[in-house]
Amino acid sequence: LRSDVCSSDLAYIRDLIRRDQAIKADIEAVRAALIEGEESGEPRPFDSNQFKQEMVAKYAGKSR
């Protein structure tokens, strides 16, 4: 490295690299989820009211 590059410049560059890696990891996670969804079979109808009732029953009495 050149001697005129200060440590704050290097820290900034490292931060940019970490952010880029995090974005790429997020994109890969979304891709993997999409592939998993596509391979999971035929879509089924979704009943939001039934889902809510199931979640209430499942988590009734559990505190945060």
Side-chain angles (χ1 to χ4, degrees), residues 7-64:
S7 62
S8 64
D9 291 338
L10 292 175
Y12 178 71
I13 291 168
R14 286 188 191 109
D15 184 57
L16 289 175
I17 292 169
R18 278 191 292 274
R19 289 177 187 210
D20 183 62
Q21 290 171 337
I23 289 169
K24 287 179 180 177
D26 289 345
I27 290 170
E28 187 54 39
V30 169
R31 283 186 179 137
L34 288 170
I35 290 169
E36 181 181 349
E38 289 173 345
E39 293 175 348
S40 69
E42 289 297 315
R44 293 175 290 170
F46 181 77
D47 183 341
S48 61
N49 290 325
Q50 179 184 351
F51 175 78
K52 290 176 189 176
Q53 290 172 356
E54 290 172 2
M55 291 301 106
V56 167
K58 181 176 181 178
Y59 294 103
K62 292 185 180 183
S63 62
R64 291 184 178 194

